[in-house]
């Protein structure tokens, strides 16, 4: 299958399972596949259970699957919807159908491409556009095909098709193979590259523990310019990639807790609490470090975090 189609296909089975499942819990939280959203999901679960006595279930799913399930009422919460990554879903369900609400108090996130400090010293790379140079790209060739490799994200992330657009806009899609894979596998490759003094370039973002785990260098880019950031939502229809352009840096992102409007009628106290939750970037970074690096049990960590931050948690339920 063509790689463009792979990037744009959503998990239909997951959406179907979400929309058809009978709800056993009072609140169902959808959990996409990156560390900070998983940490937030567990904190919300324990908080809602402890403060309101509700039964809360966590269900894995892609961003698209979770939003569609919230619209259908079979999932109630997305713990960390990144904007502008998910602007197309916001337009459809928050602004259009008005079946989902977003907490406006979102943490700030950043997104870019990084290399390790060792990679920067060995290759001299400092700017993202340098990857368009075939000679620079060869520094990242691990399979001998003459092209480098770059991890652009996981399938189901809102950022992944945008990174595909950025690669095409800069032109390094011609010199680099764009790798789409789960983050755990990608970060294992980063760990291995550091240990072996090998070169590696990859998608990086905050809040995230990767900056605490390794010395990373963010590749320089022209500053964000809204007039040069043209993103057509990915779809099975041909042409979205060609109609898009983004040869500038990302704007800062906001990480917004989102919830189904139906929750306001079914569990109004839960909906009110979700509208008040506020977690800043430093807090989320510490949470991800505890789960991903220290390997703390998520449920135990969430219970301990809530105990140590009672005043903040109580403010969500007042």
């Amino acid at each position: 299958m063509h790689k463009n189609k792979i990037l744009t296909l959503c998990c239909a089975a997951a959406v179907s399972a979400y929309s058809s499942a009978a709800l056993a819990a009072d609140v169902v939280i959808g959990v996409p596949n990156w560390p900070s959203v998983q940490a937030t999901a567990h904190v919300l679960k324990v908080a809602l259970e402890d403060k309101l006595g509700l039964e809360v279930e966590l269900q894995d799913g892609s961003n698209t699957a979770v939003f569609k399930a919230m619209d259908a009422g079979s999932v109630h919460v997305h713990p960390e919807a990144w904007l502008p990554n998910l602007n197309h879903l916001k337009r459809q369900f928050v602004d259009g159908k008005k079946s989902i609400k977003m907490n406006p108090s979102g943490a700030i996130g950043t997104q870019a491409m990084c290399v390790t400090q060792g990679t920067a010293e060995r290759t001299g790379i400092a700017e993202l556009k340098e990857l368009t140079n075939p000679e620079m790209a060869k520094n990242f060739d691990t399979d001998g095909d003459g092209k480098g490799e770059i991890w652009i994200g996981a399938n189901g992330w809102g950022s992944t098709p945008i990174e595909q657009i950025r690669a095409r806009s800069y032109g390094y899609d011609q010199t680099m193979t764009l790798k789409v894979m789960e983050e755990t596998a990608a970060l294992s490759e980063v760990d291995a590259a550091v240990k072996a003094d090998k070169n590696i370039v990859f998608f990086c973002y905050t809040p995230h523990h990767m900056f605490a785990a390794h010395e990373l260098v963010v590749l320089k880019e022209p500053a964000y310019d809204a007039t040069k950031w043209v993103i057509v939502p990915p779809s099975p229809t041909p042409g979205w990639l060609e109609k898009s352009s983004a040869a500038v840096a990302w704007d800062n992102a906001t990480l917004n807790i989102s919830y189904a409007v139906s929750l306001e009628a079914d569990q109004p106290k839960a909906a009110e609490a979700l509208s008040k939750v506020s977690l800043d970037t430093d807090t989320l970074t510490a949470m991800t470090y505890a789960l991903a690096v220290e390997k703390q049990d998520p449920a135990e960590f969430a219970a301990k975090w809530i105990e140590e931050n009672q005043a903040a948690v109580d403010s969500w339920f007042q």
Side-chain angles (χ1 to χ4, degrees), residues 54-110:
L54 300 176
E55 182 182 352
V56 181
E57 178 184 344
L58 302 181
Q59 288 189 9
D60 294 339
S62 69
N63 288 307
T64 299
V66 173
F67 265 77
K68 288 186 175 181
M70 284 195 293
D71 176 62
S74 54
V75 168
H76 303 109
V77 185
H78 188 307
E80 193 178 284
W82 284 58
L83 301 178
N85 308 35
L86 303 183
N87 272 346
H88 60 295
L89 296 176
K90 178 178 181 290
R91 285 193 294 268
Q92 182 177 358
F93 297 110
V94 179
D95 304 330
K97 299 182 73 173
K98 301 186 186 303
S99 59
I100 296 172
K101 286 189 175 181
M102 281 188 168
N103 180 330
S105 179
I108 300 299
T110 62

Side-chain angles (χ1 to χ4, degrees), residues 1 4-11 155-156 236:
M1 182 180 292
N4 291 3
K5 292 183 178 179
I6 294 174
L7 283 171
T8 57
L9 288 174
C10 68
C11 183
N155 211 359

